[in-house]
Each structure stands twice: as C-alpha cells, then as structure tokens.
Amino acid sequence: MKRVQGLNRSAAELRADGVVVANSTKAVNAQVQQLLGMSPKEFFNSYFTVQKELQFLNNVEGAKREEFIAGMLGYERLTQARGRGGAPGTIRDDLNRQKEAIARLAGKLENFAHLPAALTAAQAQQQQTRARVAACQGELAALAQQLAALEPERRQWEARDRSIESSWPSRSDGNGNGSNRPSGWQF
C-alpha cells in the first residue's frame, strides 16, 4: 500500500501481488476495510489501544458503547449471518425453512399413522385365507381320491348298462328312431 498526502491533494494505491487493486484514497480505504472486516476507527481502537486504556469509551453512552464494542469484535457480521428477522440466505432463514419442512412432514406422517394397524390386520386376514385355501385343497385331494376309487365301479356299471341295452331287441317308434329299451321305459 502506498499513500501520498499533500497540501491540497492525497492519493493512495493498493497492490496485491504487484497488481493495483485500488488507486484512490476512498477505494483503498474500502479495500482495507473489507480485508480487515472493520472500519479504520475500529481498527485503530482495537489494535492500537493498550489494554486497560479504553478511557475513550467513558465518553460514549451505554447503547452506543455496546454497539461500538460489538462492531469492533465483529459481532455485526455474526448477527448478519444469523439473520435479523429471517432474511433470505441467513442461518435463521435456513432454520425457519427446516422447521417448516419438519412440520409439513409431521403432518404427512399423521396421514400414515393407521398403516401399521392396517398392515397387521391384512397379514392376519392373509394367514386365515391361506389356512382356508389349504383346507380346501385338502378336501379337493380327498374328493379326487374318492373319485379315483369309484372310477372302476363306474366303468363296471357302464359296461353292464351297455350289455343290457345290447341284449334287448331293437324297436322303432315309427319315425325311424330306434331304441333297445322296453316300451314301458321312458326317460
């Protein structure tokens, strides 16, 4: 940093790695303030005031004194980051958004509160249905066995019926429909 001050004129220049980053008194002051994070007065008072020699604060009233010390210590930046009134992009804004999201999710969770009981009931019904299906399958298998056991007897009865029908003489009803059954039998 280079500063030249004359009777009617002052100039300043700030360089970083050999490159001029500011070339007026006002621009240099702004760059230095940005780099240090405090005003020239705050810098002077915090770095050049010997400990216990803070008499200048005696002349500053309570609220202003508190504000000055908070600014000197950088609390203002912390307050800004934390967010006054939940300004967008601040920690407080993020916290408020997260609280709102949690509240929305909690409300949606209440919509699903009945699901565990409904699932338990559906599982019990499924077990009952499976038991009924197994019982029906058992009955069906038993009936299939009974049917298989009766099949030879059915075949014998059918063979006997064919044998009896073939032993009767053929008759005609006059319309060309013949029957081997006796005339008194009507089906």
Side-chain angles (χ1 to χ4, degrees):
M1 180 166 80
K2 179 180 176 184
R3 184 173 186 172
V4 177
Q5 194 165 10
L7 190 55
N8 291 331
R9 174 181 166 233
S10 67
E13 183 177 88
L14 179 64
R15 294 175 180 257
D17 296 327
V19 177
V20 176
V21 292
N23 59 4
S24 71
T25 303
K26 192 173 187 178
V28 168
N29 285 344
Q31 285 288 327
V32 170
Q33 188 171 343
Q34 183 180 354
L35 287 170
L36 297 177
M38 58 180 72
S39 71
K41 186 176 181 180
E42 293 168 343
F43 177 78
F44 177 79
N45 288 331
S46 63
Y47 288 104
F48 291 110
T49 304
V50 179
Q51 198 172 17
K52 295 183 184 177
E53 291 182 5
L54 297 174
Q55 271 72 12
F56 71 93
L57 287 177
N58 289 337
N59 299 330
V60 180
E61 30 183 280
K64 287 189 176 185
R65 181 182 315 148
E66 186 178 319
E67 184 179 318
F68 179 79
I69 292 173
M72 187 174 69
L73 296 174
Y75 287 163
E76 185 177 297
R77 286 177 289 170
L78 180 62
T79 302
Q80 288 174 348
R82 189 178 60 198
R84 290 185 184 148
T90 61
I91 294 170
R92 184 167 290 161
D93 178 50
D94 291 342
L95 179 64
N96 289 340
R97 288 177 190 225
Q98 289 175 1
K99 285 179 179 178
E100 289 169 5
I102 289 170
R104 279 193 311 272
L105 291 174
K108 290 180 181 180
L109 186 61
E110 289 174 8
N111 294 339
F112 300 107
H114 70 284
L115 289 181
L119 178 62
T120 301
Q123 288 172 335
Q125 186 178 6
Q126 182 185 31
Q127 287 177 345
Q128 291 172 353
T129 302
R130 284 184 177 164
R132 283 189 298 225
V133 166
C136 288
Q137 287 174 334
E139 288 179 31
L140 183 62
L143 289 173
Q145 286 178 346
Q146 288 176 357
L147 182 63
L150 292 173
E151 184 62 23
E153 188 177 342
R154 183 189 67 80
R155 286 185 187 152
Q156 285 178 350
W157 285 106
E158 280 183 355
R160 285 183 193 160
D161 188 37
R162 279 193 301 272
S163 147
I164 293 173
E165 282 184 0
S166 65
S167 65
W168 292 332
S170 180
R171 297 187 185 190
S172 177
D173 61 3
N175 293 326
N177 294 325
S179 172
N180 290 337
R181 292 191 182 113
S183 61
W185 288 26
Q186 299 205 357
F187 291 97

